[in-house]
Amino acid sequence: MSKAKGEALAEWFDGRVGLFKMAKANLRKVFPDHWSFLIGEIALYTFVIIILTGVYLTLFFEPAMNEVVYHGRYEPLNGIRMSQAFESTMDISFDVRGGLLMRQIHHWAAVLFIASMIAHMMRTFFNGVFRKPREINWLSGAGLLILGMFDGFMGYSLPDDLLSGTGLRFMEGAMLSVPIVGTYLSFFFFGGEFPGTIVISRLFTLHVLLIPGIMLGLLALHMILLVYHKHTHEPGPGKKNMNIVGPPLWPVYVAKSGGFFFLVFGVTTLMAGIAQINPIWMYGPYRPDQVSTDAQPDWYMGYSEGLIRLMPGWEINLWGHTLVLGVFIPLVVFPMVLLAIWLYPFLEAWITGDKREHHLNQRPRNAPTRTAFGAAWIALYTVLLVGGGNDLFATHFHLSINAITWAGRIGFFVVPLVVFAITRRVCLGLQRRDRDKVLHGRETGIIQRLPHGEYIEVHEPLPPGERYTLTAYEQYEPLELPPAVDGAGVERKLTRKERLRARLSQFYFGDGGQIAKPTAEEYREHQESQHH
């Protein structure tokens, strides 16, 4: 009887919402299976962990800057004046059951969230997943990354300890460096002179409400487009541009993903239990007249610190006003570092002029210039991270801090170019190797002596599946500029844009930009010559 009532209720509900029909159609969707897709899942699951632990912490945190005297379990700070925000964070750490574990899970999850998003972005970049029709997904992921970075910085600032206060002072300096409106920006953000009395409550609203709300919207868009377009799949036998090979979403993919979520949660909890992070009681409450030693931001904002530390302290004084180029130029370069990688897909689409849909991954070696650009970007990011910790490198390795700073300044311009050139050469070498493997087969290690005395190594042909995988990709032809004079003898007027596009196309896909893959005719001719 109850079953009949349950079925009737389900039918009533489905008749008005239609979820059952929709779910039945979508749960059998095929999803390709590859380990690299797990990187994006780590980002998703750590975001869920951040939300869950953040809700718990919100119940006990007081985002207020009014002054109180601490009387708690941590004896060294007893009787010390501090803000209510710092006091409530101390209470969470020492008095609330499970509070310190939750704080550490929350912080470690945030660190892993940004790390997995950057790794996921680079996996997407190197495999060419950003191509049509996934440009909007690429941009939504970029939005999630920048919002995650700033939300992490705001959460890091909420306890109002000496370390986070130093970070806020850093941000105030960046605001003040903006010409004309810098002072107004700072006064607006802090509600008066730094540090003011309301900045923590403002950061709290942004950290727990506004930015997570926008991120949830972007994440929903990201996941809807992912389900609609599905994952791209790796090249191989039976895998083509317009088909999908893999297990269905239900039950296989859902079971795997569910288990992986608990694995990520478990590892994050283990890290939080054994590795201390952000021990605010060691820094003490924030005071504007003090700066904590070892003041470093979380690693994902470290490149902004590196830009400031590597930039010479240039200033321009005009009509009684000072333009602090030593801070303002890094503030301008800060978003450009990220925009360089985020806007790259649109540059490549303009060079190729390719408007078709792509659902197959590209092997990084088969796009040498793109892979080299990505490697150069990672190298630049690394140089800036090292620059942001120049004092730590100097003290730990007993080096001159000036030498490290100058190495970072030179490296900012030189290292990406060197890495670009080396990576491109490596990719071209791997393309040559693939070409030789297809034509000559795999080396067996067996040496054979021919009747006339020559020694050769025996090669065995590649299996058809592997041969297909090595050749199942498309190579673009470089654009050629039309003749300077048309058929009627009239000089053609080519715009700078057209000339630039042709030059870039030659650089990408000309003789020095890729190794031509073997054609079917070349393969047949080589096999015939071998038999003769």
Side-chain angles (χ1 to χ4, degrees):
M1 193 69 176
S2 60
K3 185 179 178 182
K5 285 183 180 179
E7 286 178 358
L9 180 62
E11 287 176 8
W12 180 90
F13 192 75
D14 187 54
R16 285 145 186 84
V17 181
L19 285 177
F20 180 73
K21 297 184 185 70
M22 191 190 307
K24 192 175 182 180
N26 286 291
L27 286 176
R28 297 302 296 173
K29 275 184 178 289
V30 172
F31 272 80
D33 210 1
H34 193 263
W35 68 265
S36 62
F37 300 151
L38 299 179
I39 302 171
E41 291 189 22
I42 293 172
L44 174 63
Y45 299 151
T46 48
F47 184 67
V48 173
I49 296 168
I50 289 168
I51 297 294
L52 293 174
T53 53
V55 169
Y56 183 86
L57 294 173
T58 305
L59 300 175
F60 304 100
F61 181 70
E62 293 289 340
M65 296 180 72
N66 51 298
E67 213 172 62
V68 296
V69 177
Y70 179 69
H71 297 290
R73 290 195 182 183
Y74 189 68
E75 288 294 333
L77 289 182
N78 256 330
I80 301 293
R81 290 186 175 276
M82 57 184 63
S83 67
Q84 201 170 348
F86 187 87
E87 184 197 39
S88 65
T89 312
M90 290 292 294
D91 289 341
I92 290 171
S93 302
F94 291 100
D95 295 304
V96 174
R97 188 180 293 274
L100 181 58
L101 180 64
M102 285 293 181
R103 265 195 67 221
Q104 300 219 145
I105 293 174
H106 190 72
H107 205 132
W108 274 119
V111 170
L112 291 174
F113 177 55
I114 306 295
S116 55
M117 275 203 291
I118 291 179
H120 179 56
M121 177 183 79
M122 297 317 297
R123 195 280 303 180
T124 302
F125 182 85
F126 285 126
N127 284 334
V129 181
F130 53 72
R131 294 173 296 170
K132 184 182 178 181
R134 293 177 176 82
E135 299 96 332
I136 296 175
N137 236 15
W138 171 261
L139 291 177
S140 65
L144 281 166
L145 178 55
I146 192 70
L147 287 172
M149 289 169 68
F150 277 102
D151 207 34
F153 174 77
M154 289 174 187
Y156 173 86
S157 304
L158 286 179
D160 200 29
D161 60 288
L162 191 54
L163 186 60
S164 67
T166 304
L168 282 176
R169 174 69 91 178
F170 179 95
M171 189 172 75
E172 186 221 10
M175 287 180 178
L176 290 174
S177 72
V178 179
I180 303 172
V181 298
T183 310
Y184 299 99
L185 285 173
S186 176
F187 269 59
F188 174 76
F189 186 78
F190 291 100
E193 286 280 1
F194 178 86
T197 57
I198 59 173
V199 67
I200 296 297
S201 57
R202 286 183 172 182
L203 289 175
F204 182 74
T205 304
L206 291 171
H207 178 71
V208 306
L209 187 64
L210 182 62
I211 293 182
I214 298 171
M215 290 179 74
L216 281 170
L218 282 174
L219 183 62
L221 173 66
H222 201 77
M223 298 306 295
I224 289 167
L225 288 173
L226 171 67
V227 171
Y228 178 69
H229 296 307
K230 304 181 191 68
H231 283 299
T232 53
H233 51 180
E234 297 294 315
K239 297 178 180 179
K240 299 179 182 177
N241 196 42
M242 299 310 292
N243 74 344
I244 297 292
V245 178
L249 177 63
W250 179 269
V252 180
Y253 205 78
V254 169
K256 284 184 177 180
S257 296
F260 191 54
F261 168 73
F262 290 108
L263 181 63
V264 171
F265 208 148
V267 170
T268 308
T269 305
L270 182 65
M271 289 172 64
I274 64 176
Q276 181 174 264
I277 189 167
N278 200 24
I280 59 162
W281 51 89
M282 293 176 66
Y283 310 130
Y286 180 63
R287 283 182 50 174
D289 61 333
Q290 294 181 353
V291 174
S292 62
T293 56
D294 196 22
Q296 301 285 333
D298 275 336
W299 72 271
Y300 46 86
M301 296 299 276
Y303 88 96
S304 62
E305 180 99 4
L307 284 167
I308 292 281
R309 294 192 185 192
L310 296 182
M311 180 69 196
W314 295 343
E315 290 184 359
I316 298 176
N317 293 297
L318 289 173
W319 306 297
H321 296 278
T322 303
L323 182 60
V324 188
L325 296 179
V327 180
F328 180 61
I329 290 177
L331 182 65
V332 173
V333 175
F334 170 77
M336 291 171 62
V337 172
L338 296 173
L339 287 174
I341 198 83
W342 289 339
L343 298 181
Y344 172 87
F346 301 96
L347 171 67
E348 186 176 301
W350 175 66
I351 294 169
T352 61
D354 190 352
K355 300 188 183 302
R356 297 165 301 169
E357 289 193 5
H358 296 276
H359 300 285
L360 268 175
N361 282 339
Q362 276 186 305
R363 298 172 81 204
R365 67 184 64 179
N366 293 334
T369 305
R370 179 207 299 151
T371 303
F373 183 90
W377 185 85
I378 292 172
L380 174 65
Y381 199 92
T382 305
V383 167
L384 293 175
L385 281 179
V386 172
N390 58 359
D391 54 339
L392 296 180
F393 281 92
T395 53
H396 281 67
F397 296 104
H398 307 291
L399 299 171
S400 163
I401 192 167
N402 290 329
I404 295 171
T405 301
W406 271 104
R409 288 171 180 171
I410 297 167
F412 180 85
F413 298 99
V414 174
V415 170
L417 295 177
V418 172
V419 170
F420 181 92
I422 292 173
T423 306
R424 199 160 180 254
R425 288 292 298 272
V426 169
C427 288
L428 292 173
L430 291 171
Q431 280 190 333
R432 278 194 199 91
R433 179 170 169 270
D434 286 348
R435 177 184 170 85
D436 289 343
K437 279 177 71 176
V438 170
L439 292 176
H440 302 289
R442 184 182 287 107
E443 297 171 353
T444 61
I446 300 171
I447 305 300
Q448 187 177 24
R449 184 179 180 183
L450 299 181
H452 58 276
E454 180 186 359
Y455 287 92
I456 62 167
E457 184 178 15
V458 178
H459 286 67
E460 63 176 7
L462 294 180
E466 190 174 346
R467 202 163 61 238
Y468 175 82
T469 302
L470 293 179
T471 55
Y473 67 96
E474 189 178 11
Q475 288 190 316
Y476 293 103
E477 292 293 327
L479 292 176
E480 298 286 348
L481 283 174
V485 179
D486 64 14
V490 180
E491 185 181 353
R492 296 181 190 272
K493 291 186 177 179
L494 295 173
T495 64
R496 287 183 182 177
K497 194 175 176 181
E498 290 172 325
R499 293 178 188 276
L500 176 62
R501 186 183 174 202
R503 284 198 198 98
L504 287 173
S505 181
Q506 284 289 340
F507 180 69
Y508 268 67
F509 311 115
D511 292 337
Q514 60 183 1
I515 305 299
K517 67 178 184 178
T519 62
E521 292 77 16
E522 285 178 320
Y523 179 75
R524 281 195 293 270
E525 287 174 10
H526 184 79
Q527 294 303 311
E528 288 172 6
S529 67
Q530 289 290 101
H531 291 311
H532 292 318

